[in-house]
Amino acid sequence: MPGLRGVGKSTILYQIYDYLINTQNIDNNNILFLDVDELTSNYNAQIQDVFQKYIEYYHNSIPTALEEKIFLLIDEAHYDKNWARFAKTLFDKSSNIFMLFTGSSALELESNTDAVRRMKIERIYPMNFREYLLLNYNLNIEKFNIEKLLFYCDEENVKNAIVIEKEFNNKLLKLNNDPNLELKQYIKTHSFPFALTQDITDTYDDINEVIRRIIKEDLELFKKHANVSSQTISQIVTYLATKKSGKTKNSTIAQSVEISSNTVKDILQTLELTQLIFSLNAYGPGGKILKSSKEHFFITPNIKAAINNSVKRYDLENDKCYSLLVENMVASNIYYLINKTSDSMGLFYDSEKKGVDLLIKYSNKVIPVEIGIENKTKSQLTRSLNKYDSQYGILISNRTSNIEFKNNILYIPLLTFALFF
């Protein structure tokens, strides 16, 4: 289970342990739970060392002769550089061992091909808006199959979405606050579980600490950045957070921090592996994708907000600043969805002048997506419908209060969009 620091992977692992013991009545001796950070830093030991002693002491056996089923729950696996080799070897030796590994970065999980071939990867993302409402207010809003609405927008799917939207809005009446204000708070500060019990200052401090540890600790796993200081990488991350929306020019960053464009490219790719950021290619043929710069987003807009708060770059209450956070939230939600749905789908940015914010490519269809806050209109979307010969486009906006399909444009209120993920 790779995922960004602070999203709750360790908590999930403890919950699984509790479930095995108290619900499934698994014998405690058949479960090995290890915190590898503590194991390596306090005892200078590796996973394999502890496992060998465990299986000898509690089961008087070796992996190939093991008759009982056992569970290995390994937290922060990436602190042991040999974890993947250990997992591969154990997988090949016994079918009676269930292994679950978490990692605060995806660096080693993604780069070790032997391990990847044998594992199922379940990425853990920051909380979505529904999860925030559930944990903060015990308000349970069921997951909606938004794939059908976004990717197969026909009359039946639109009608179904309208019915579900009404049900969701009725549930929101139980809140003691304006749902749109709750959404704004979520977008700015509440996609990390630790934010639920903290004020905004402590939350932003903790988010910036997550960023610092990614730069100082996680990037250490890739030695090719050894000649680049943590301060330089931090400057690059700050640049991404404070720039306006649009493509990232590596040459501009390189000139500013006085390193090569290729080094900037490598650092950005590594930051993607930590799941701090993700990137979108420009839409077009292969040659254009290779030649064009990428556009970068943070895995949650909370990170962008926290960095801007720390450098006093933007007033987060300003509509223009909020619109950048909303664009990040929409892009990251669709990015998660496409990653989970189909390898044949792609999410791109529109490099054309006066283009839309996003383009979804599915089979032979191109679906333009525009994200509108306050005074943004549908004019860019209309132009893109004609340019890409699209059957329909999507406008996600806080200027509409209900789902509507009109003139080949699917209008989705920002609040509804957030609830549908």
Side-chain angles (χ1 to χ4, degrees):
M1 294 194 303
L4 185 68
R5 287 182 177 272
V7 296
K9 299 180 303 299
S10 297
T11 300
I12 293 172
L13 214 57
Y14 281 117
Q15 288 172 334
I16 291 172
Y17 178 83
D18 181 74
Y19 170 78
L20 292 173
I21 294 290
N22 296 314
T23 302
Q24 293 299 316
N25 298 315
I26 302 296
D27 190 315
N28 190 54
N29 291 339
N30 287 0
I31 305 172
L32 177 62
F33 189 113
L34 288 178
D35 180 340
V36 184
D37 183 10
E38 181 180 353
L39 182 68
T40 55
S41 59
N42 293 348
Y43 303 101
N44 194 30
Q46 295 185 323
I47 301 170
Q48 183 174 350
D49 302 330
V50 178
F51 176 75
Q52 284 179 344
K53 294 185 181 299
Y54 159 77
I55 198 171
E56 289 171 5
Y57 183 83
Y58 286 103
H59 297 280
N60 191 30
S61 182
I62 59 175
T64 52
L66 187 67
E67 295 181 355
E68 291 187 89
K69 294 187 180 300
I70 64 174
F71 298 83
L72 301 189
L73 307 180
I74 312 297
D75 197 21
E76 304 283 17
H78 62 281
Y79 280 102
D80 183 343
K81 64 181 181 180
N82 296 314
W83 77 267
R85 188 192 314 161
F86 164 79
K88 170 188 174 296
T89 302
L90 212 56
F91 179 90
D92 292 340
K93 286 183 176 180
S94 176
S95 60
N96 283 329
I97 304 173
F98 174 84
M99 294 175 280
L100 181 55
F101 297 86
T102 74
S104 288
S105 80
L107 291 172
E108 288 296 312
L109 292 175
E110 297 289 358
S111 63
N112 193 300
T113 53
D114 279 340
V116 168
R117 284 201 303 268
R118 291 166 169 80
M119 69 172 63
K120 174 175 172 53
I121 297 177
E122 185 67 36
R123 292 178 177 82
I124 307 300
Y125 293 110
M127 286 193 300
N128 58 41
F129 187 48
R130 290 184 304 104
E131 291 165 339
Y132 161 71
L133 293 176
L134 176 62
L135 293 177
N136 207 33
Y137 296 104
N138 198 29
L139 183 63
N140 186 17
I141 295 183
E142 299 81 4
K143 189 179 187 310
F144 173 69
N145 188 359
I146 194 172
E147 296 96 322
K148 290 184 177 180
L149 180 64
L150 296 185
F151 307 143
Y152 313 98
C153 183
D154 57 23
E155 184 177 357
E156 180 181 352
N157 287 323
V158 172
K159 285 182 177 179
N160 184 43
I162 291 172
V163 171
I164 299 298
E165 180 186 45
K166 289 178 180 178
E167 293 177 3
F168 285 1
N169 287 335
N170 286 335
K171 286 191 174 185
L172 292 176
L173 295 175
K174 298 177 182 178
L175 289 174
N176 294 323
N177 196 11
D178 180 348
N180 288 291
L181 293 179
E182 289 291 342
L183 176 60
K184 195 168 189 177
Q185 177 170 280
Y186 160 77
I187 289 174
K188 292 195 297 184
T189 61
H190 277 74
S191 62
F192 287 92
F194 56 69
L196 296 172
T197 57
Q198 299 182 161
D199 62 23
I200 188 171
T201 300
D202 289 340
T203 296
Y204 283 159
D205 285 346
D206 283 353
I207 292 174
N208 282 306
E209 176 62 13
V210 166
I211 299 167
R212 187 197 69 78
R213 291 193 66 186
I214 288 172
I215 294 171
K216 290 284 289 184
E217 298 177 24
D218 291 355
L219 266 65
E220 285 292 314
L221 295 173
F222 272 16
K223 301 300 182 184
K224 63 181 179 181
H225 302 313
N227 296 326
V228 181
S229 70
S230 297
Q231 182 180 1
T232 296
I233 297 175
S234 180
Q235 287 175 320
I236 293 173
V237 173
T238 300
Y239 171 82
L240 295 178
T242 55
K243 77 179 186 68
K244 295 180 179 179
S245 60
K247 63 186 179 182
T248 305
K249 294 183 178 179
N250 293 351
S251 57
T252 301
I253 299 176
Q255 186 175 6
S256 175
V257 298
E258 298 181 342
I259 57 177
S260 71
S261 293
N262 283 337
T263 301
V264 171
K265 180 182 177 181
D266 287 342
I267 290 171
L268 292 174
Q269 288 175 341
T270 307
L271 288 171
E272 285 196 54
L273 290 176
T274 69
Q275 297 192 23
L276 182 68
I277 63 173
F278 65 93
S279 67
L280 302 182
N281 289 312
Y283 178 75
K288 184 171 186 177
I289 291 176
L290 290 174
K291 292 178 182 178
S292 298
S293 299
K294 294 186 175 185
E295 181 170 5
H296 291 85
F297 296 90
F298 288 92
I299 205 72
T300 163
N302 288 186
I303 297 173
K304 187 179 184 74
I307 295 173
N308 278 285
N309 179 73
S310 67
V311 300
K312 312 302 180 188
R313 180 69 173 82
Y314 290 126
D315 175 9
L316 295 175
E317 298 301 321
N318 181 279
D319 285 339
K320 288 184 178 179
C321 299
Y322 180 57
S323 69
L324 294 176
L325 299 182
V326 168
E327 183 178 341
N328 197 136
M329 187 270 287
V330 172
S332 59
N333 278 358
I334 297 177
Y335 174 78
Y336 303 159
L337 181 66
I338 287 177
N339 276 350
K340 292 178 179 179
T341 303
S342 173
D343 291 336
S344 63
M345 290 185 181
L347 183 62
F348 302 86
Y349 76 89
D350 190 352
S351 61
E352 297 297 323
K353 189 175 182 180
K354 294 185 178 181
V356 292
D357 294 312
L358 302 169
L359 292 168
I360 299 171
K361 179 73 165 63
Y362 179 46
S363 186
N364 61 345
K365 295 192 300 186
V366 177
I367 308 170
V369 179
E370 184 70 2
I371 306 158
I373 298 297
E374 299 306 330
N375 60 353
K376 231 177 178 184
T377 67
K378 64 180 182 180
S379 56
Q380 290 165 294
L381 195 55
T382 303
R383 281 194 295 270
S384 293
L385 286 173
N386 294 326
K387 176 176 177 54
Y388 298 109
D389 194 25
S390 301
Q391 298 174 14
Y392 63 92
I394 301 170
L395 178 59
I396 302 163
S397 170
N398 67 346
R399 297 181 64 196
T400 182
S401 56
N402 300 104
I403 292 175
E404 183 181 13
F405 189 79
K406 183 171 62 176
N407 297 329
N408 297 325
I409 295 178
L410 175 64
Y411 296 85
I412 306 178
L414 179 61
L415 178 63
T416 299
F417 177 85
L419 289 170
F420 276 5
F421 277 85

